[in-house]
């Protein structure tokens, strides 16, 4: 029974999300014109399954960077050398923000059409166990419809809920936004209904995990997304936000809660703990006699060796890893590497020393003076001391001046040189160099090669257990500071990464900062930072600034690896000043014009 739809669902998962430019294709562009009516689609089993696959198709691929999934470059994490983003330069306007809005509402409508019509598919219902199959498909479509609402909420704030009926040209779409709390309650309730109809797991006939079904919705996936919804709902932007009282519907109804409700944090904590208690996943962890190497290999190899163990919701393997790797890899990687996803100094400075101390801690031993002897496998002789003695994840996630090459090296190359005349520097390369003097290294397989092309295929993790542990620790710290589980689950993530466990006795505020720092490092480049700084309502704080000047090394200087002139903190990019309106994207003006009940977020 499962085999019948594998080729449709997997194909849908492997396709890219529709781009943020709003480009789209007809949903049935591969179907002969004479069978493209709704009636024919939902009397034909294969076409119904194709329809469902196309709903799956809108699920974003986290590694489709830099051209589609662009959230990391709208933060203090990275710069995409080749891409100018409207959020960064202050040009985001209601006339240029239609892509996500249109794409996700199209998916919501397609899911509604599927739910309304799939029960008519007699060909499918006539199969052995056909009714159960239809029930499962409806559960998947119901979840996906709710999930796309949640994605819209994260980007645009409270949204318009369209109800159960997909509607037609005669439907009255003069509908106001629902409040954030109403949206969240609806999304979670719809997901709860869907949970009744989808399986615990997708298994082969022998009872093993069916890897061909990778990405298909299960009860555990739904619970994990519900954890995310409640975490957002409990966060300061949506819970006790008195700064946005002017964000309201035409009838004066406030769209964000100005009253703080501590119980929302309990809901978030309980939802995350429910996922943990399923006991279906575990943190990927490698063993090594050297604790530093254990942490390094655990964090480095997670993305290709650990997804079966830690990945809760994964996308089927696609070509986007190759794209990510080619854009991140330094130019002296074998073949044509583009060397342009540049990591800001702001993130580099967050990585701690090997003993867990901040580089700002005077007793940490951190210094920016002088140069060090090499460490085999990590960096070569004459590497700046600012890159020495850092925590294991620094070396698995950041490529710096003097670092060993993350992929297959060109002949004779032993290290990455980002200084001006270095092998991956600015000299002689019109665009293929990072403005910051660093590139992202995370999820770049060491066997990556661009001539001949070699990329190790693996699913992409949309949600993994480490995130759920951090969700739980954050929510519980806000609801019940001092509870033993806060430290327990935060330390699970820290110690897996090779850091020493934190000791008891921290205040709620101290624990909050440790949790936020851990999210910033552990989930870097995985499209969390953009939303975290917003839901925490801290995007205007100096230590988390999302506008103004951003720093890196001086790419215009340096004639040798140990050149002091390169190793100077330099303003490499200036974004527009942070504005309150940047908390949400504007709704496309065409929709504001059509729907007189739909209000724009103030400031646009």
């Amino acid at each position: 029974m499962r085999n019948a739809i594998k080729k449709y669902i997997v194909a849908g998962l492997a396709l890219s999300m529709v781009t943020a430019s709003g480009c789209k294709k007809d949903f049935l562009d591969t179907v002969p014109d004479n069978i493209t009516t709704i009636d024919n689609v939902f009397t034909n089993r294969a076409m119904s399954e194709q329809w469902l696959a196309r709903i799956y198709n809108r699920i974003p691929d986290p590694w489709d960077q830099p051209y589609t999934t662009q959230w990391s470059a709208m933060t203090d994490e990275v710069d995409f050398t080749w891409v100018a983003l409207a959020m960064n330069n202050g040009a985001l306007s209601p006339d240029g923000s239609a892509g996500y809005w249109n794409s996700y509402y199209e998916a919501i409508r397609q899911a509604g059409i599927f739910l309304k019509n799939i029960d008519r598919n007699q060909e499918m219902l006539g199969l052995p166990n056909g009714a159960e199959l239809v029930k499962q498909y409806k559960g998947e479509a119901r979840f996906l419809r709710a999930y796309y609402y949640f994605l819209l909420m994260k980007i645009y704030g409270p949204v318009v809920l369209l109800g159960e009926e997909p509607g037609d040209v005669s439907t009255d779409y003069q509908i106001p936004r629902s409040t954030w709390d109403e949206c969240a309650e609806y999304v979670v309730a719809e997901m709860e209904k869907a949970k009744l109809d989808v399986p615990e797991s997708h298994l082969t006939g022998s009872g093993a995990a069916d890897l061909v079904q990778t990405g298909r919705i299960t009860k555990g996936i739904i619970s994990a997304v519900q954890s995310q919804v409640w975490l957002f709902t409990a966060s300061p932007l949506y819970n006790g936000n008195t700064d946005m009282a002017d964000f309201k519907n035409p009838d004066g109804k406030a769209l964000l809660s100005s009253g703080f409700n501590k119980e929302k944090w309990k809901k978030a904590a309980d939802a995350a703990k429910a996922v943990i208690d399923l006991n279906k996943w575990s943190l990927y962890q490698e063993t090594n006699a050297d604790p530093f190497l254990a942490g390094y290999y655990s964090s480095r190899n997670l993305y290709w060796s650990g997804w079966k163990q830690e990945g809760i919701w994964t996308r089927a393997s696609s070509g986007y890893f190759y794209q990510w790797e080619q854009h991140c890899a330094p130019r002296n990687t074998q073949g044509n590497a583009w060397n342009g996803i540049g990591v800001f100094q702001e993130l580099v400075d967050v990585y701690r020393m090997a003993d867990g101390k901040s580089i700002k801690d005077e007793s940490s031993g951190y210094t920016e003076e002088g140069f060090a002897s090499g460490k085999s496998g990590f960096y070569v002789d004459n590497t700046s001391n600012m890159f020495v003695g850092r925590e294991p994840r620094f070396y698995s996630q950041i490529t710096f001046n003097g670092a060993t090459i993350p992929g297959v090296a060109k002949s004779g190359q032993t290290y990455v040189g980002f200084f001006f005349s270095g092998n991956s520097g600015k000299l002689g390369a019109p665009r293929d160099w990072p403005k910051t003097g660093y590139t992202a290294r995370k999820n770049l397989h060491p066997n990556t090669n661009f001539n001949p092309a070699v990329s190790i295929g693996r699913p992409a993790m949309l949600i993994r257990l480490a995130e759920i542990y951090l969700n739980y620790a954050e929510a519980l710290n806000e609801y019940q500071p001092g509870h033993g589980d806060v430290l327990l689950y935060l330390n699970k993530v820290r110690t897996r990464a090779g850091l020493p466990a934190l000791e008891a006795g921290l205040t709620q505020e101290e624990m909050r900062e440790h949790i936020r720092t851990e999210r910033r490092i552990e989930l870097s480049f995985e499209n969390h930072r953009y939303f975290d700084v917003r839901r925490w309502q801290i995007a205007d704080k100096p230590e988390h600034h999302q506008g103004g000047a951003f720093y890196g090394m001086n790419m215009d200087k340096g004639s040798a690896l140990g050149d002091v002139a390169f190793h100077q903190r330099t303003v490499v990019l200036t974004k527009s000043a942070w504005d309150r309106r940047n908390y949400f994207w504007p709704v496309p003006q065409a929709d504001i014009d059509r729907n007189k009940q739909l209000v724009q977020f103030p400031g646009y």
Side-chain angles (χ1 to χ4, degrees):
M1 191 66 65
R2 295 186 185 90
N3 289 338
I5 72 162
K6 286 178 182 178
K7 62 183 178 181
Y8 298 117
I9 298 299
V10 174
L13 288 170
L15 292 170
S16 68
M17 185 186 75
V18 171
T19 65
S21 66
C23 179
K24 58 187 179 182
K25 294 182 178 180
D26 184 273
F27 276 84
L28 302 174
D29 57 355
T30 61
V31 183
D33 291 341
N34 63 337
I35 60 167
T36 58
T37 67
I38 293 294
D39 285 342
N40 282 324
V41 167
F42 288 102
T43 55
N44 180 289
R45 178 189 178 188
M47 287 307 304
S48 293
E49 291 173 340
Q50 234 180 16
W51 189 285
L52 179 59
R54 288 176 181 272
I55 301 170
Y56 269 97
N57 181 39
R58 304 301 176 100
I59 297 171
D61 189 314
W63 301 103
D64 185 9
Q65 302 182 47
Y67 297 119
T68 298
T69 307
Q70 299 178 323
W71 302 113
S72 290
M74 290 182 269
T75 71
D76 48 4
E77 286 189 334
V78 298
D79 167 68
F80 295 159
T81 293
W82 316 268
V83 181
L85 299 174
M87 177 61 76
N88 293 342
N89 58 30
L92 188 64
S93 74
D95 294 324
S97 60
Y100 295 114
W101 182 271
N102 288 347
S103 178
Y104 292 146
Y105 268 117
E106 284 173 357
I108 287 166
R109 174 171 168 74
Q110 296 304 316
I113 291 171
F114 185 91
L115 288 166
K116 183 176 181 179
N117 290 282
I118 190 60
D119 286 321
R120 297 194 289 137
N121 195 316
Q122 295 302 313
E123 180 185 356
M124 192 175 295
L125 290 169
L127 295 169
N129 213 26
E132 183 178 335
L133 189 62
V134 168
K135 179 182 177 183
Q136 177 187 321
Y137 289 177
K138 290 176 70 174
E140 294 177 41
R142 186 174 296 279
F143 165 78
L144 290 170
R145 182 174 65 178
Y147 176 66
Y148 292 127
Y149 272 122
F150 178 49
L151 294 185
L152 284 167
M153 290 162 61
K154 289 168 64 177
I155 299 168
Y156 297 95
V159 295
V160 174
L161 300 176
L162 298 176
E164 191 70 16
E165 288 292 319
D168 55 33
V169 293
S170 65
T171 302
D172 180 7
Y173 286 112
Q174 299 298 306
I175 309 172
R177 296 184 192 238
S178 294
T179 68
W180 178 276
D181 287 345
E182 289 169 343
C183 291
E185 292 283 354
Y186 170 80
V187 164
V188 171
E190 285 291 288
M191 290 183 179
E192 201 62 29
K193 292 178 187 176
K195 198 184 293 183
L196 299 174
D197 295 337
V198 300
E200 295 279 354
S201 305
H202 293 283
L203 305 175
T204 64
S206 64
D210 187 352
L211 299 184
V212 179
Q213 305 288 341
T214 297
R216 293 285 301 282
I217 304 307
T218 63
K219 295 182 192 301
I221 289 171
I222 294 176
S223 293
V225 177
Q226 288 175 318
S227 163
Q228 294 178 327
V229 177
W230 286 131
L231 186 73
F232 272 71
T233 301
S235 298
L237 185 61
Y238 314 102
N239 183 16
N241 183 352
T242 59
D243 297 335
M244 297 183 185
D246 56 339
F247 188 19
K248 55 189 178 183
N249 279 335
D251 63 0
K253 184 178 183 179
L255 293 170
L256 297 174
S257 175
S258 60
F260 173 70
N261 182 353
K262 186 178 180 181
E263 293 304 307
K264 291 180 179 179
W265 282 114
K266 184 178 189 303
K267 276 188 177 181
D270 290 347
K273 189 60 162 58
V275 179
I276 295 169
D277 288 345
L278 292 174
N279 202 30
K280 288 179 172 291
W281 309 277
S282 59
L283 290 184
Y284 175 74
Q285 194 151 2
E286 297 199 12
T287 58
N288 193 288
D290 182 340
F292 178 89
L293 290 178
Y296 170 75
Y297 287 118
S298 295
S299 59
R300 190 194 73 165
N301 298 351
L302 165 65
Y303 299 91
W304 47 85
S305 298
W307 62 268
K308 292 181 188 178
Q309 181 175 328
E310 185 165 334
I312 297 174
W313 189 10
T314 55
R315 276 188 63 111
S317 180
S318 73
Y320 294 121
F321 289 117
Y322 187 79
Q323 175 169 292
W324 165 258
E325 289 167 333
Q326 191 163 35
H327 282 86
C328 290
R331 268 200 329 276
N332 62 330
T333 307
Q334 179 67 33
N336 185 25
W338 294 336
N339 189 44
I341 295 183
V343 181
F344 287 122
Q345 192 73 45
E346 281 77 359
L347 176 58
V348 169
D349 289 346
V350 172
Y351 288 86
R352 289 155 293 200
M353 302 299 285
D355 61 3
K357 293 180 180 179
S358 162
I359 67 168
K360 298 178 182 178
D361 189 322
E362 291 183 2
S363 65
S364 69
Y366 175 78
T367 179
E368 297 185 1
E369 301 295 326
F371 298 89
S373 299
K375 181 174 182 176
S376 179
F378 295 93
Y379 51 85
V380 298
D381 288 347
N382 224 24
T383 294
S384 171
N385 277 322
M386 68 171 66
F387 307 132
V388 173
R390 306 293 284 271
E391 64 164 292
R393 283 177 301 191
F394 177 75
Y395 301 100
S396 68
Q397 297 179 4
I398 307 294
T399 300
F400 50 89
N401 194 48
T404 54
I405 299 164
V408 176
K410 289 181 178 177
S411 177
Q413 300 291 319
T414 60
Y415 71 91
V416 180
F418 285 129
F419 57 93
F420 180 72
S421 61
N423 53 43
S424 297
K426 187 174 178 180
L427 181 64
R431 289 198 308 169
D432 294 345
W433 50 274
K435 298 185 185 78
T436 64
Y438 306 93
T439 55
R441 193 182 189 100
K442 187 179 199 176
N443 203 5
L444 205 166
H445 196 281
N447 292 340
T448 298
N449 193 338
F450 304 109
N451 186 21
V454 175
S455 181
I456 308 301
R458 65 269 191 191
M461 291 180 283
L462 294 164
I463 304 176
R464 55 189 178 92
L465 187 61
E467 178 199 338
I468 300 298
Y469 281 0
L470 294 174
N471 290 358
Y472 180 48
E474 178 184 342
L476 193 58
N477 185 57
E478 298 301 331
Y479 181 72
Q480 194 175 352
H483 191 291
D485 276 1
V486 178
L487 199 59
L488 173 65
Y489 284 93
L490 175 60
N491 276 336
K492 284 179 181 290
V493 181
R494 284 176 57 96
T495 56
R496 185 269 289 276
L499 287 173
L502 292 169
E503 296 182 358
L506 297 171
T507 67
Q508 182 186 32
E509 292 74 19
E510 289 170 335
M511 188 65 76
R512 181 184 297 130
E513 287 308 306
H514 277 294
I515 292 167
R516 289 180 176 181
T517 298
E518 194 58 36
R519 285 187 71 92
R520 192 172 180 182
I521 295 172
E522 176 66 25
L523 303 177
S524 62
F525 319 136
E526 295 182 44
N527 306 293
H528 289 273
R529 179 67 174 169
Y530 176 93
F531 299 104
D532 280 348
V533 294
R534 285 163 172 76
R535 67 180 179 84
W536 292 329
Q537 216 171 344
I538 59 171
D540 60 336
K541 306 302 181 186
E543 64 272 29
H544 301 283
H545 72 103
Q546 301 299 298
F550 289 83
Y551 286 78
M553 297 288 96
N554 190 344
M555 293 291 291
D556 290 318
K557 301 289 185 180
S559 58
L561 178 59
D563 197 325
V564 173
F566 169 82
H567 297 91
Q568 301 296 318
R569 292 166 184 268
T570 304
V571 175
V572 297
L573 184 69
T574 301
K575 300 182 183 181
S576 62
W578 175 260
D579 189 282
R580 187 192 72 157
R581 71 178 191 167
N582 292 340
Y583 275 107
F584 297 116
W585 280 40
V587 171
Q589 189 61 44
D591 289 85
I592 296 290
D593 293 341
R594 282 191 292 261
N595 181 359
K596 303 306 180 185
Q597 292 297 310
L598 178 59
V599 296
Q600 188 63 274
F601 184 59
Y604 289 105

